Amino acid sequence: MDLLLWRHADAEDGLPDLQRPLTARGEAQAQQMADWLHAHAPKRLAVLVSPAVRAQQTAAALKQPFVTDERLRPGADVCELLAATGWADGDEMDDSDDGSTTTAVRHSPTHARRAVLVVGHQPTLGRVAALLLGGQEADWSVKKGSVWWFSNRVRRGETQTVLRAVIGPDYLP
């Protein structure tokens, strides 16, 4: 499975928190990252988005359907976010010793690898990244507008998490 975590782009300050829109800079960041995602992300990508306006606007830059999920709201629980994505459902890839890759568990009739993009918030996204890479939650920083891309696989019977990319809008043309 591929899991892409996209922190919402730069947003205005103020209250109520769920109603804060993107700034002009944030709109540009969202579009830059959406363009990168169109070029690099898996083609069959399910998109789950926080109900916050800034996350909805960030996701809208992709110009593809998405699902709003209350489990992704600001202050979300790491386990609930991972459950929403199906990360722990066992859709790993088994890398054999000869370098070929086979599907360990198949969830769809077409046997397509699942890919989920989450548009959410700090500190939850940083805590998810820490858990996936370090084995425990910690307050890691995910910059506004950035994407962290993870894959999971099984190698020699052990499930592994692979960090495929970390990119922020400041590094895109």
Side-chain angles (χ1 to χ4, degrees):
M1 175 179 181
D2 289 303
L3 175 62
L4 293 84
L5 304 176
W6 187 7
R7 183 176 178 196
H8 67 78
D10 189 59
E12 293 180 7
D13 292 328
L15 294 172
D17 184 53
L18 289 177
Q19 299 304 314
R20 297 190 302 125
L22 295 180
T23 62
R25 178 175 185 250
E27 290 174 4
Q29 288 174 333
Q31 190 56 61
Q32 287 173 299
M33 194 54 64
D35 292 344
W36 185 86
L37 287 165
H38 280 294
H40 296 76
K43 300 304 174 208
R44 296 171 54 123
L45 188 64
V47 182
L48 302 177
V49 183
S50 159
V53 168
R54 60 195 181 275
Q56 298 276 311
Q57 290 176 321
T58 299
L62 280 173
K63 297 177 180 63
Q64 73 181 62
F66 60 82
V67 173
T68 301
D69 193 317
E70 290 291 326
R71 294 174 289 184
L72 307 179
R73 69 184 313 114
D77 178 77
V78 168
C79 291
E80 285 188 6
L81 183 148
L82 290 173
T85 68
W87 176 260
D89 290 347
D91 193 17
E92 305 95 6
M93 299 301 286
D94 186 1
D95 287 354
S96 61
D97 290 333
D98 66 2
S100 65
T101 303
T102 59
T103 304
V105 178
R106 296 179 170 108
H107 288 283
S108 71
T110 61
H111 304 279
R113 217 171 126 79
R114 289 184 301 148
V116 178
L117 170 67
V118 169
V119 182
H121 309 274
Q122 276 293 89
T124 307
L125 296 182
R127 290 176 181 161
V128 169
L131 178 64
L132 295 181
L133 293 177
Q136 62 185 9
E137 289 183 34
D139 289 328
W140 288 8
S141 179
V142 174
K143 294 192 61 93
K144 289 180 182 173
S146 296
V147 170
W148 289 48
W149 181 351
F150 302 90
S151 293
N152 63 3
R153 67 181 181 190
V154 175
R155 177 168 279 170
R156 296 182 185 95
E158 178 182 320
T159 301
Q160 300 175 339
T161 298
V162 177
L163 179 61
R164 297 190 58 181
V166 175
I167 186 105
D170 296 342
Y171 295 98
L172 299 173

